[in-house]
């Protein structure tokens, strides 16, 4: 069966060049967020660590490979469609209110950074790993809506500009990424800034060339290692952190996926508990003091880890397995259908910009649990914007 995995790698490399040539290698494309990521995060670690792979992990890897190949064939034409996104001129009259929203959201994030101690300790060069879990407890209501909202509103402002303004867009994207990192301590904040710039690049110019995507992929561990050193308060460890992040998919597979799948086995299935936790994320902790923590902390306790900071996680197919067991593939197929449906909205130039931007942020939310929780935050943000603008379509 390993030949199937090698075949998948060959097909994925061929498609990388094909989509590069067709200028549809977008960071929000299912090819990148699902199918190519599956190579790096599942297949390569599997082949390197085989045969020390538990049976249930072998099952999810092979079945997901077959399903992915079928979907790549069925949706082959969709992934070749070029797209762009322009904000209509009549929407520019709302820019003043948009900028007020950005200032208000930035102030809330600044206050959350001060309250959690993340901002002050980062500026002092202290280790904030112990503060990361604290910052996630009790401050979600203050932080989550502004963090998502500021991205959406800034993207709308960016897309009003032509490609000739790319330097200023890059500067503002960098400032946003640095600000989000300083106020939350999350390395993903910097990635948010980079993502906004690349979205502007895709919609105003083209998709990545294959070598541009490889450069982007290689830049991620460089940035992550640097930020980890800053967050840990020891800049001398940056080089070692970078080395770890270059092998991160293999490290995570060995340290997370294999122990998690061994611990779950065939009987300790969570039956959707992870998605329930994502569903109740919206409830403020002051209303529900015993609200469950993020599911990744439960997985850390299940495996027996006690390190400081966040929890642990696994890849999409394994994530579905620990929630639904051997029938996971049903939900995996449904999820892929949903992703392609959302992608179809994004690339459909006949749809209004409002629905396309909402679909864009949904597809970029990540896994299923994070999408459930983030969609609730997105709905709250849109409801707030409707009240603020006194109109329905408010982006």
């Amino acid at each position: 069966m390993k030949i199937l995995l090698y075949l998948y790698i060959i097909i994925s490399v061929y498609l990388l060049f094909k989509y590069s040539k067709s200028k549809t290698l977008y960071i929000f494309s299912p090819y990148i967020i699902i199918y190519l990521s599956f190579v790096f995060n599942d297949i390569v670690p599997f082949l390197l660590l085989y045969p020390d792979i538990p049976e249930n992990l072998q099952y999810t890897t092979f079945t997901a490979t077959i399903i992915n190949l079928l979907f790549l064939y069925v949706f082959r034409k969709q992934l070749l469609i070029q797209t762009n996104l322009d904000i209509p001129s009549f929407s520019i009259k709302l820019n003043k209110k948009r900028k007020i929203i950005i200032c208000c959201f930035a102030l809330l994030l600044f206050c959350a950074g001060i309250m959690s101690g993340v901002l002050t300790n980062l500026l002092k060069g202290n280790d904030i790993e112990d503060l990361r879990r604290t910052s996630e407890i009790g401050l979600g209501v203050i932080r989550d809506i502004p963090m998502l909202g500021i991205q959406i509103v800034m993207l709308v402002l960016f897309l009003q500009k032509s490609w000739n303004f790319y330097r200023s867009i890059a500067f503002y994207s960098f400032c946003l990424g640095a600000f989000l990192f300083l106020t939350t301590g999350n390395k993903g904040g910097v990635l948010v800034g980079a993502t906004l710039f690349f979205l502007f690049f895709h919609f105003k110019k083209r998709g990545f060339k294959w070598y541009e995507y490889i450069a982007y992929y290689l830049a991620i561990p460089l940035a992550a290692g640097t930020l980890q050193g800053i967050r840990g308060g020891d800049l001398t460890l940056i080089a070692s952190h970078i080395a770890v992040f270059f092998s991160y998919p293999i490290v995570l597979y060995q340290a997370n996926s294999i122990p998690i799948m061994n611990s779950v086995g065939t009987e300790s299935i969570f039956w959707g508990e992870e998605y329930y936790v994502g569903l109740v994320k919206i409830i403020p902790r002051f209303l529900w003091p015993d609200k469950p923590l993020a599911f990744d902390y439960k997985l850390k306790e299940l495996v027996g880890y006690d390190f400081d900071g966040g929890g642990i996680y696994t890849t999409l197919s394994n994530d579905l397995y620990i929630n639904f067991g051997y029938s996971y593939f049903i939900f995996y197929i449904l999820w892929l259908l949903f992703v392609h449906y959302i992608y179809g909205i994004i690339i459909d130039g006949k749809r209004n910009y409002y629905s396309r931007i909402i679909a864009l942020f949904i597809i970029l939310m990540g896994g299923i649990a994070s999408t459930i929780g983030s969609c609730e935050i997105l709905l709250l943000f849109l409801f707030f914007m409707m009240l603020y603008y006194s109109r329905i379509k408010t982006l």
Side-chain angles (χ1 to χ4, degrees), residues 147-184:
M147 189 168 179
L148 177 61
I150 201 170
Q151 300 172 47
I152 296 175
V153 177
M154 287 191 71
L155 180 62
V156 172
L157 292 175
F158 288 172
L159 292 178
Q160 294 175 12
K161 305 294 184 179
S162 67
W163 175 246
N164 294 332
F165 290 85
Y166 73 92
R167 290 185 181 87
S168 60
I169 300 300
F171 172 75
Y172 287 120
S173 298
F174 173 80
C175 290
L176 176 63
F179 176 75
L180 293 178
F181 173 69
L182 289 173
T183 53
T184 67

Side-chain angles (χ1 to χ4, degrees), residues 121-389:
N121 280 277
L122 266 177
L123 293 176
K124 292 177 181 178
N126 296 333
D127 184 351
I128 65 160
E129 289 298 331
D130 289 340
L131 294 173
R132 289 183 60 223
R133 180 164 181 165
T134 304
S135 69
E136 294 173 4
I137 301 175
L139 293 177
V141 176
I142 298 175
R143 190 179 64 184
D144 289 349
I145 296 177
M147 189 168 179
L148 177 61
I150 201 170
Q151 300 172 47
I152 296 175
V153 177
M154 287 191 71
L155 180 62
V156 172
L157 292 175
F158 288 172
L159 292 178
Q160 294 175 12
K161 305 294 184 179
S162 67
W163 175 246
N164 294 332
F165 290 85
Y166 73 92
R167 290 185 181 87
S168 60
I169 300 300
F171 172 75
Y172 287 120
S173 298
F174 173 80
C175 290
L176 176 63
F179 176 75
L180 293 178
F181 173 69
L182 289 173
T183 53
T184 67
N186 191 331
K187 297 189 294 291
V190 174
L191 186 59
V192 165
T195 299
L196 288 187
F197 176 77
F198 289 130
L199 291 175
F200 174 76
F201 172 75
H202 290 328
F203 287 126
K204 295 299 180 178
K205 198 170 180 65
R206 55 173 171 77
F208 283 133
K209 297 293 186 181
W210 65 268
Y211 52 84
E212 291 171 338
Y213 175 73
I214 291 176
Y216 163 75
Y217 184 80
L218 294 177
I220 293 177
L222 289 172
T226 303
L227 295 173
Q228 184 67 34
I230 295 173
R231 195 171 71 182
D234 190 349
L235 299 183
T236 62
L237 296 177
I238 287 179
S240 60
H241 286 314
I242 290 175
V244 169
F245 279 107
F246 266 109
S247 58
Y248 211 46
I250 299 170
V251 171
L252 288 181
Y253 197 86
Q254 191 169 27
N256 289 4
S257 295
I258 292 178
I260 288 172
M261 296 295 273
N262 275 325
S263 298
V264 171
T266 58
E267 298 179 356
S268 302
I269 305 300
F270 288 98
W271 302 113
E273 180 181 340
E274 178 178 6
Y275 310 122
Y276 164 75
V277 172
L279 194 63
V280 302
K281 176 183 178 181
I282 195 173
I283 303 175
R285 193 166 293 277
F286 66 82
L287 294 179
W288 185 9
D290 296 326
K291 185 178 75 171
L293 292 173
F295 192 74
D296 55 353
Y297 292 115
K298 184 162 188 174
L299 292 180
K300 182 169 77 170
E301 294 172 359
L302 175 71
V303 173
Y305 292 153
D306 60 355
F307 57 82
D308 296 331
I312 63 173
Y313 55 90
T314 183
T315 57
L316 175 61
S317 55
N318 300 325
D319 191 68
L320 283 166
Y321 174 86
I322 65 178
N323 279 280
F324 301 109
Y326 283 103
S327 61
Y328 92 93
F329 66 89
I330 299 173
F331 301 92
Y332 188 70
I333 291 172
L334 292 174
W335 175 250
L336 293 186
L337 289 172
F338 173 75
V339 168
H340 280 280
Y341 171 74
I342 294 297
Y343 183 68
I345 294 176
I346 298 170
I347 62 176
D348 185 356
K350 296 180 181 179
R351 291 180 178 267
N352 61 67
Y353 81 96
Y354 183 83
S355 60
R356 295 177 69 191
I357 288 180
I358 292 174
L360 178 64
F361 277 88
I362 290 175
I363 207 171
L364 290 172
M365 286 174 180
I368 299 175
S370 60
T371 300
I372 292 172
S374 297
C375 278
E376 292 178 331
I377 299 300
L378 177 61
L379 289 174
L380 278 178
F381 164 71
L382 294 175
F383 178 71
F384 169 77
M385 295 293 279
M386 283 192 291
L387 295 179
Y388 178 66
Y389 286 118

